Coordinates of all heavy atoms in Angstrom, one line a residue:
M1 N 0.8 -1.2 0.0 CA 0.0 0.0 0.0 C 0.9 1.3 0.0 O 1.8 1.4 0.8 CB -0.9 0.0 1.2 CG -2.0 1.1 1.2 SD -2.9 1.1 2.8 CE -4.5 0.6 2.2
E2 N 0.6 2.2 -0.9 CA 1.4 3.4 -1.0 C 0.9 4.4 0.0 O -0.2 4.3 0.5 CB 1.4 4.0 -2.4 CG 2.1 3.1 -3.4 CD 2.0 3.6 -4.8 OE1 1.7 4.8 -5.0 OE2 2.1 2.8 -5.8
D3 N 1.7 5.4 0.2 CA 1.3 6.5 1.2 C 0.0 7.2 0.8 O -0.7 7.6 1.7 CB 2.4 7.5 1.3 CG 3.6 7.0 2.1 OD1 3.5 5.9 2.7 OD2 4.6 7.7 2.2
N4 N -0.2 7.3 -0.4 CA -1.4 8.1 -0.8 C -2.6 7.2 -1.1 O -3.5 7.6 -1.7 CB -1.1 9.0 -2.1 CG -0.7 8.1 -3.3 OD1 -0.5 6.9 -3.1 ND2 -0.6 8.8 -4.4
E5 N -2.5 6.0 -0.5 CA -3.7 5.1 -0.6 C -4.3 5.0 0.7 O -3.6 4.9 1.7 CB -3.3 3.8 -1.2 CG -3.0 3.9 -2.7 CD -2.6 2.5 -3.3 OE1 -2.7 1.5 -2.6 OE2 -2.2 2.5 -4.5
M6 N -5.6 4.8 0.8 CA -6.3 4.6 2.0 C -7.4 3.6 1.8 O -8.1 3.6 0.9 CB -6.9 5.9 2.5 CG -7.7 5.9 3.8 SD -6.6 6.0 5.2 CE -6.3 7.8 5.3
Q7 N -7.4 2.6 2.8 CA -8.5 1.6 2.7 C -9.6 2.1 3.6 O -9.4 2.5 4.7 CB -7.9 0.3 3.2 CG -7.7 -0.7 2.1 CD -7.3 -2.1 2.7 OE1 -6.7 -2.1 3.8 NE2 -7.6 -3.1 2.0
C8 N -10.8 1.9 3.1 CA -12.0 2.2 3.8 C -12.1 1.3 5.1 O -12.1 0.1 4.9 CB -13.3 2.1 3.0 SG -14.8 2.4 3.9
P9 N -12.2 1.9 6.3 CA -12.3 1.0 7.5 C -13.6 0.3 7.6 O -13.8 -0.5 8.4 CB -12.1 2.0 8.6 CG -12.5 3.4 8.1 CD -12.2 3.3 6.6
Y10 N -14.6 0.7 6.8 CA -15.9 0.1 6.8 C -16.0 -1.1 5.9 O -16.6 -2.1 6.2 CB -17.0 1.1 6.6 CG -17.0 2.2 7.6 CD1 -16.2 3.4 7.4 CD2 -17.8 2.1 8.8 CE1 -16.2 4.4 8.4 CE2 -17.8 3.1 9.7 CZ -17.0 4.2 9.5 OH -17.0 5.2 10.5
C11 N -15.6 -0.9 4.6 CA -15.8 -1.9 3.6 C -14.4 -2.5 3.1 O -14.4 -3.4 2.2 CB -16.6 -1.4 2.5 SG -15.8 -0.2 1.4
N12 N -13.3 -1.9 3.5 CA -12.0 -2.3 3.1 C -11.6 -2.0 1.6 O -10.6 -2.5 1.2 CB -11.7 -3.8 3.4 CG -11.6 -4.0 4.9 OD1 -11.1 -3.1 5.6 ND2 -12.1 -5.1 5.4
E13 N -12.5 -1.3 0.9 CA -12.1 -1.0 -0.5 C -11.2 0.3 -0.5 O -11.2 1.1 0.5 CB -13.4 -0.8 -1.3 CG -14.0 -2.2 -1.6 CD -15.1 -2.1 -2.6 OE1 -15.2 -1.1 -3.4 OE2 -15.9 -3.0 -2.7
E14 N -10.5 0.5 -1.6 CA -9.7 1.6 -1.7 C -10.5 2.9 -1.8 O -11.5 3.0 -2.5 CB -8.8 1.5 -3.0 CG -7.7 2.5 -3.0 CD -6.8 2.4 -4.2 OE1 -6.5 1.2 -4.6 OE2 -6.4 3.4 -4.8
M15 N -10.1 3.9 -1.0 CA -10.8 5.2 -1.0 C -10.2 6.1 -2.0 O -9.0 6.0 -2.4 CB -10.7 5.8 0.4 CG -11.3 4.9 1.5 SD -11.2 5.6 3.1 CE -12.8 6.5 3.1
K16 N -11.0 7.0 -2.5 CA -10.5 8.0 -3.5 C -10.0 9.2 -2.8 O -10.6 9.7 -1.9 CB -11.7 8.5 -4.4 CG -12.2 7.4 -5.4 CD -13.2 8.0 -6.3 CE -13.7 7.0 -7.3 NZ -12.7 6.4 -8.2
K17 N -8.8 9.6 -3.2 CA -8.2 10.8 -2.6 C -8.7 12.0 -3.3 O -8.9 12.1 -4.5 CB -6.6 10.8 -2.8 CG -5.9 11.9 -2.1 CD -4.4 11.8 -2.4 CE -3.7 13.0 -1.8 NZ -2.3 13.0 -2.1
G18 N -9.0 13.0 -2.4 CA -9.6 14.3 -3.0 C -9.4 15.4 -2.0 O -8.6 15.2 -1.0
Y19 N -10.1 16.4 -2.2 CA -9.9 17.6 -1.3 C -11.3 18.1 -0.9 O -12.2 18.3 -1.7 CB -9.2 18.7 -2.1 CG -7.9 18.2 -2.6 CD1 -7.8 17.7 -3.9 CD2 -6.7 18.3 -1.8 CE1 -6.5 17.2 -4.4 CE2 -5.5 17.9 -2.3 CZ -5.4 17.3 -3.5 OH -4.2 16.8 -4.0
I20 N -11.4 18.4 0.4 CA -12.6 19.2 0.9 C -12.2 20.6 0.7 O -11.1 21.0 1.1 CB -12.9 18.8 2.3 CG1 -13.4 17.4 2.4 CG2 -13.9 19.8 2.9 CD1 -13.8 16.9 3.7
Q21 N -13.0 21.4 0.1 CA -12.7 22.7 -0.2 C -13.8 23.6 0.2 O -15.0 23.2 0.4 CB -12.5 22.9 -1.8 CG -11.4 22.0 -2.2 CD -11.5 21.7 -3.7 OE1 -11.1 22.5 -4.6 NE2 -12.0 20.5 -4.0
S22 N -13.5 24.9 0.4 CA -14.5 25.8 0.9 C -14.4 27.1 0.1 O -13.3 27.6 -0.1 CB -14.3 26.1 2.4 OG -15.2 27.1 2.8
P23 N -15.6 27.8 -0.2 CA -15.5 29.1 -0.8 C -15.2 30.2 0.3 O -15.0 31.3 0.0 CB -16.9 29.3 -1.3 CG -17.8 28.4 -0.5 CD -16.9 27.2 -0.1
R24 N -15.3 29.7 1.6 CA -14.9 30.7 2.7 C -13.5 30.6 3.0 O -12.7 29.9 2.3 CB -15.8 30.3 3.9 CG -17.3 30.4 3.7 CD -17.6 31.8 3.2 NE -19.1 31.9 2.8 CZ -20.0 32.4 3.6 NH1 -19.7 32.9 4.7 NH2 -21.3 32.5 3.1
Q25 N -13.1 31.3 4.0 CA -11.6 31.5 4.3 C -11.0 30.3 5.1 O -9.8 30.1 5.0 CB -11.3 32.8 5.0 CG -11.6 34.0 4.0 CD -11.8 35.3 4.7 OE1 -11.7 35.3 6.0 NE2 -12.0 36.3 4.0
Q26 N -11.8 29.6 5.8 CA -11.2 28.6 6.7 C -12.1 27.4 6.7 O -13.3 27.5 6.5 CB -11.0 29.1 8.1 CG -9.9 30.1 8.2 CD -9.7 30.5 9.7 OE1 -9.2 29.8 10.4 NE2 -10.2 31.7 10.0
I27 N -11.6 26.2 7.0 CA -12.3 25.0 7.4 C -11.9 24.6 8.7 O -10.7 24.5 8.9 CB -12.1 23.9 6.3 CG1 -12.4 24.4 4.9 CG2 -13.0 22.7 6.7 CD1 -11.9 23.4 3.8
F28 N -12.8 24.3 9.6 CA -12.3 23.8 10.9 C -13.4 22.9 11.5 O -14.5 22.9 11.2 CB -11.9 25.0 11.9 CG -13.0 25.9 12.2 CD1 -13.9 25.7 13.2 CD2 -13.2 27.1 11.4 CE1 -14.9 26.6 13.5 CE2 -14.2 28.0 11.7 CZ -15.0 27.8 12.7
W29 N -12.9 22.1 12.5 CA -13.7 21.2 13.2 C -13.8 21.6 14.6 O -12.9 22.1 15.2 CB -13.1 19.8 13.1 CG -13.8 18.7 13.9 CD1 -14.8 17.9 13.4 CD2 -13.7 18.4 15.3 NE1 -15.3 17.1 14.4 CE2 -14.6 17.3 15.5 CE3 -13.0 18.9 16.3 CZ2 -14.8 16.8 16.8 CZ3 -13.1 18.3 17.6 CH2 -14.0 17.3 17.8
G30 N -15.0 21.5 15.2 CA -15.1 21.8 16.6 C -16.3 21.0 17.2 O -17.2 20.5 16.5
E31 N -16.2 20.8 18.5 CA -17.3 20.1 19.2 C -18.5 20.9 19.3 O -19.6 20.3 19.3 CB -16.8 19.7 20.7 CG -15.8 18.6 20.7 CD -15.5 18.2 22.2 OE1 -16.4 17.6 22.8 OE2 -14.4 18.4 22.6
E32 N -18.4 22.2 19.4 CA -19.5 23.0 19.5 C -19.9 23.6 18.1 O -19.0 24.0 17.3 CB -19.3 24.2 20.4 CG -18.9 23.8 21.8 CD -20.0 23.1 22.6 OE1 -21.2 23.4 22.3 OE2 -19.7 22.2 23.4
K33 N -21.2 23.7 17.8 CA -21.6 24.3 16.5 C -21.7 25.8 16.7 O -22.4 26.2 17.7 CB -23.0 23.7 16.1 CG -23.3 23.9 14.7 CD -24.5 23.0 14.3 CE -25.7 23.8 13.9 NZ -26.8 22.9 13.7
H34 N -21.0 26.5 15.9 CA -21.1 28.0 16.0 C -22.4 28.5 15.5 O -22.9 28.0 14.5 CB -19.9 28.6 15.2 CG -18.5 28.3 15.8 ND1 -17.7 29.3 16.2 CD2 -17.9 27.1 16.0 CE1 -16.6 28.7 16.7 NE2 -16.7 27.4 16.6
K35 N -22.9 29.5 16.2 CA -24.1 30.2 15.7 C -23.7 31.2 14.6 O -24.5 31.3 13.7 CB -24.7 31.0 16.9 CG -25.4 30.1 17.9 CD -26.3 30.8 18.9 CE -26.9 29.9 19.9 NZ -26.0 29.5 20.9
M36 N -22.6 31.8 14.7 CA -22.1 32.6 13.6 C -20.6 32.4 13.4 O -19.9 32.1 14.4 CB -22.2 34.1 14.0 CG -23.7 34.6 14.0 SD -23.8 36.3 14.5 CE -22.9 37.2 13.2
F37 N -20.2 32.4 12.2 CA -18.8 32.2 11.9 C -18.1 33.5 11.9 O -18.1 34.3 11.0 CB -18.6 31.5 10.6 CG -18.9 30.0 10.6 CD1 -20.0 29.5 10.1 CD2 -18.0 29.2 11.3 CE1 -20.3 28.1 10.2 CE2 -18.2 27.8 11.3 CZ -19.4 27.3 10.8
I38 N -17.4 33.8 13.1 CA -16.6 35.0 13.1 C -15.2 34.5 13.1 O -14.5 34.7 12.2 CB -17.0 35.8 14.4 CG1 -18.4 36.3 14.3 CG2 -16.1 37.1 14.4 CD1 -19.0 36.9 15.6
T39 N -14.8 33.9 14.2 CA -13.4 33.3 14.3 C -13.6 31.9 15.0 O -14.4 31.8 15.8 CB -12.4 34.1 15.0 OG1 -12.9 34.4 16.3 CG2 -12.0 35.4 14.3
P40 N -12.8 31.0 14.6 CA -12.8 29.7 15.3 C -12.4 29.9 16.8 O -11.6 30.8 17.1 CB -11.7 28.8 14.6 CG -11.4 29.5 13.3 CD -11.8 31.0 13.5
S41 N -12.9 29.1 17.7 CA -12.4 29.2 19.1 C -11.1 28.4 19.2 O -10.7 27.7 18.3 CB -13.5 28.6 20.0 OG -13.5 27.2 19.9
S42 N -10.5 28.6 20.3 CA -9.1 28.0 20.5 C -9.2 26.5 20.6 O -8.2 25.8 20.3 CB -8.5 28.5 21.8 OG -9.3 28.3 22.9
D43 N -10.4 25.9 20.9 CA -10.6 24.5 20.9 C -10.8 23.9 19.5 O -10.7 22.7 19.3 CB -11.8 24.1 21.8 CG -11.5 24.4 23.2 OD1 -10.3 24.4 23.6 OD2 -12.4 24.6 24.0
D44 N -11.1 24.7 18.6 CA -11.4 24.2 17.2 C -10.1 23.8 16.5 O -9.0 24.3 16.8 CB -12.1 25.3 16.4 CG -13.5 25.5 16.8 OD1 -14.1 24.6 17.4 OD2 -14.0 26.7 16.6
I45 N -10.2 22.8 15.7 CA -9.1 22.3 14.9 C -9.2 22.8 13.5 O -10.1 22.5 12.8 CB -9.0 20.8 14.9 CG1 -8.9 20.3 16.4 CG2 -7.9 20.2 14.0 CD1 -9.1 18.8 16.5
S46 N -8.2 23.6 13.1 CA -8.2 24.1 11.7 C -7.8 23.0 10.8 O -6.8 22.2 11.0 CB -7.2 25.2 11.6 OG -7.1 25.6 10.2
L47 N -8.6 22.8 9.7 CA -8.3 21.8 8.7 C -7.7 22.3 7.5 O -7.2 21.6 6.6 CB -9.6 21.0 8.4 CG -10.4 20.4 9.5 CD1 -11.6 19.8 9.0 CD2 -9.5 19.3 10.2
S48 N -7.7 23.6 7.3 CA -7.3 24.3 6.1 C -5.8 24.2 5.9 O -5.0 24.4 6.8 CB -7.7 25.8 6.1 OG -9.0 25.9 6.6
Q49 N -5.4 23.8 4.7 CA -4.0 23.8 4.3 C -3.7 24.8 3.2 O -2.6 25.1 3.0 CB -3.7 22.4 3.7 CG -3.9 21.2 4.7 CD -3.7 19.9 4.1 OE1 -4.0 19.7 2.9 NE2 -3.3 18.9 4.9
G50 N -4.7 25.3 2.6 CA -4.5 26.1 1.4 C -4.2 27.6 1.8 O -4.0 27.9 2.9
T51 N -4.2 28.4 0.7 CA -4.0 29.8 0.9 C -5.2 30.4 1.5 O -6.3 29.8 1.6 CB -3.6 30.5 -0.4 OG1 -4.7 30.3 -1.3 CG2 -2.4 29.9 -1.0
F52 N -5.1 31.6 1.9 CA -6.2 32.4 2.5 C -7.5 32.3 1.7 O -8.6 32.1 2.2 CB -5.8 33.8 2.6 CG -6.8 34.6 3.4 CD1 -6.9 34.5 4.8 CD2 -7.6 35.6 2.8 CE1 -7.8 35.2 5.6 CE2 -8.5 36.4 3.6 CZ -8.6 36.2 4.9
N53 N -7.4 32.4 0.3 CA -8.6 32.4 -0.5 C -9.1 31.0 -0.9 O -10.2 30.9 -1.4 CB -8.3 33.2 -1.7 CG -8.2 34.7 -1.4 OD1 -9.0 35.2 -0.6 ND2 -7.3 35.4 -1.9
V54 N -8.2 30.0 -0.9 CA -8.6 28.7 -1.4 C -8.2 27.6 -0.3 O -7.3 26.9 -0.5 CB -7.9 28.4 -2.7 CG1 -8.5 27.1 -3.3 CG2 -8.0 29.5 -3.7
P55 N -9.0 27.6 0.8 CA -8.7 26.6 1.8 C -9.1 25.2 1.3 O -10.1 25.1 0.6 CB -9.6 27.1 3.0 CG -10.7 27.8 2.4 CD -10.1 28.5 1.1
Y56 N -8.3 24.3 1.6 CA -8.6 22.9 1.3 C -8.0 22.0 2.3 O -7.1 22.4 3.1 CB -8.1 22.5 -0.1 CG -6.6 22.4 -0.2 CD1 -6.0 21.2 0.1 CD2 -5.9 23.5 -0.5 CE1 -4.6 21.1 0.0 CE2 -4.5 23.4 -0.5 CZ -3.9 22.2 -0.3 OH -2.5 22.1 -0.3
V57 N -8.5 20.7 2.4 CA -7.8 19.7 3.2 C -7.9 18.4 2.4 O -8.9 18.1 1.8 CB -8.4 19.6 4.6 CG1 -9.9 19.3 4.6 CG2 -7.6 18.6 5.4
E58 N -6.8 17.7 2.4 CA -6.8 16.4 1.7 C -7.7 15.4 2.5 O -7.7 15.4 3.7 CB -5.4 15.8 1.7 CG -4.5 16.4 0.6 CD -3.1 15.7 0.6 OE1 -3.0 14.6 1.2 OE2 -2.3 16.2 -0.1
S59 N -8.4 14.6 1.7 CA -9.2 13.6 2.4 C -9.5 12.4 1.5 O -9.1 12.5 0.3 CB -10.6 14.3 2.7 OG -11.2 14.7 1.5
Y60 N -10.0 11.4 2.1 CA -10.2 10.2 1.3 C -11.7 9.8 1.4 O -12.3 9.9 2.5 CB -9.4 9.0 1.9 CG -7.9 9.2 1.7 CD1 -7.2 10.0 2.5 CD2 -7.3 8.7 0.5 CE1 -5.8 10.2 2.3 CE2 -6.0 8.9 0.3 CZ -5.2 9.7 1.1 OH -3.9 9.9 0.9
C61 N -12.3 9.5 0.3 CA -13.7 9.3 0.2 C -14.1 7.9 -0.2 O -13.5 7.4 -1.1 CB -14.3 10.3 -0.8 SG -16.1 10.2 -1.0
C62 N -15.0 7.3 0.5 CA -15.5 6.0 0.0 C -16.9 6.3 -0.5 O -17.8 6.6 0.3 CB -15.6 5.0 1.2 SG -16.3 3.4 0.6
L63 N -17.1 6.2 -1.8 CA -18.4 6.5 -2.4 C -19.4 5.4 -2.0 O -20.6 5.7 -2.0 CB -18.2 6.6 -3.9 CG -17.3 7.7 -4.4 CD1 -17.1 7.5 -5.9 CD2 -17.9 9.0 -4.1
K64 N -19.0 4.2 -1.8 CA -19.9 3.1 -1.4 C -20.5 3.3 0.0 O -21.7 3.3 0.1 CB -19.1 1.8 -1.5 CG -19.9 0.6 -1.5 CD -19.0 -0.6 -1.7 CE -19.5 -1.9 -1.0 NZ -18.5 -2.9 -1.0
C65 N -19.7 3.7 0.9 CA -20.1 3.9 2.3 C -20.5 5.3 2.6 O -21.0 5.6 3.7 CB -19.0 3.4 3.3 SG -18.5 1.7 3.1
K66 N -20.2 6.2 1.7 CA -20.4 7.6 1.9 C -19.8 8.1 3.1 O -20.4 8.8 4.0 CB -21.9 7.9 1.9 CG -22.6 7.5 0.5 CD -24.0 8.0 0.4 CE -24.5 7.7 -1.0 NZ -25.9 7.8 -1.2
K67 N -18.5 7.8 3.2 CA -17.7 8.2 4.4 C -16.5 9.0 3.8 O -15.9 8.7 2.7 CB -17.1 7.1 5.2 CG -18.2 6.1 5.7 CD -18.9 6.7 6.9 CE -19.9 5.6 7.4 NZ -20.8 6.2 8.4
I68 N -16.0 10.0 4.6 CA -14.8 10.8 4.2 C -13.9 10.8 5.4 O -14.4 11.0 6.5 CB -15.2 12.2 3.8 CG1 -16.0 12.2 2.5 CG2 -14.0 13.1 3.7 CD1 -16.5 13.5 2.1
I69 N -12.6 10.5 5.2 CA -11.6 10.5 6.2 C -10.7 11.7 6.0 O -10.2 11.9 4.9 CB -10.8 9.2 6.3 CG1 -11.7 8.1 6.7 CG2 -9.6 9.4 7.2 CD1 -11.0 6.7 6.8
I70 N -10.6 12.5 7.0 CA -9.7 13.7 6.9 C -8.6 13.6 7.9 O -8.7 13.3 9.0 CB -10.5 15.0 7.3 CG1 -11.8 15.1 6.4 CG2 -9.7 16.2 7.2 CD1 -12.7 16.2 6.9
E71 N -7.4 13.9 7.4 CA -6.2 14.0 8.3 C -5.9 15.5 8.5 O -5.9 16.3 7.6 CB -5.0 13.3 7.6 CG -3.9 13.2 8.6 CD -2.7 12.4 8.0 OE1 -3.0 11.3 7.4 OE2 -1.6 12.8 8.2
F72 N -5.7 15.8 9.8 CA -5.4 17.2 10.1 C -4.1 17.3 10.8 O -3.5 16.3 11.1 CB -6.5 17.8 11.0 CG -6.7 17.2 12.4 CD1 -5.9 17.6 13.4 CD2 -7.6 16.2 12.6 CE1 -6.1 17.1 14.7 CE2 -7.7 15.6 13.8 CZ -7.0 16.0 14.9
Ligands
LIG101 ZN1 -16.3 1.9 2.3

């Protein structure tokens, strides 16, 4: 298995590599759902790797299970 391959933990088939992208400035994960997006809180995990205008994060998608795995 190469570095850029990922097996789906649900069905064990190869996942497709792609990018989660946003038209906004940042992508982040948090336990709390924000009412308004002003700035992420310190507990939030930033997922964005791209430039200010084109945030993205590499991810692996299983179209069969409809699951996406993101590494941050
Ligand atoms: Zn799967």
Side-chain angles (χ1 to χ4, degrees):
M1 191 186 244
E2 290 175 27
D3 281 353
N4 61 355
E5 288 179 6
M6 180 82 79
Q7 255 187 327
C8 177
Y10 297 90
C11 71
N12 289 326
E13 286 191 19
E14 193 178 319
M15 301 182 87
K16 287 187 182 299
K17 187 183 178 184
Y19 303 92
I20 290 181
Q21 298 157 81
S22 172
R24 299 303 175 100
Q25 290 163 0
Q26 292 183 73
I27 305 168
F28 59 89
W29 179 93
E31 283 186 69
E32 302 294 329
K33 197 164 122 188
H34 291 242
K35 289 193 178 75
M36 284 177 69
F37 282 105
I38 300 169
T39 52
S41 77
S42 57
D43 292 334
D44 288 335
I45 296 169
S46 177
L47 303 176
S48 318
Q49 299 171 332
T51 60
F52 189 72
N53 290 317
V54 191
Y56 71 89
V57 61
E58 279 184 14
S59 61
Y60 293 85
C61 179
C62 179
L63 297 172
K64 194 171 146 191
C65 301
K66 298 189 174 166
K67 305 284 186 194
I68 292 173
I69 292 179
I70 302 170
E71 189 175 316
F72 64 88

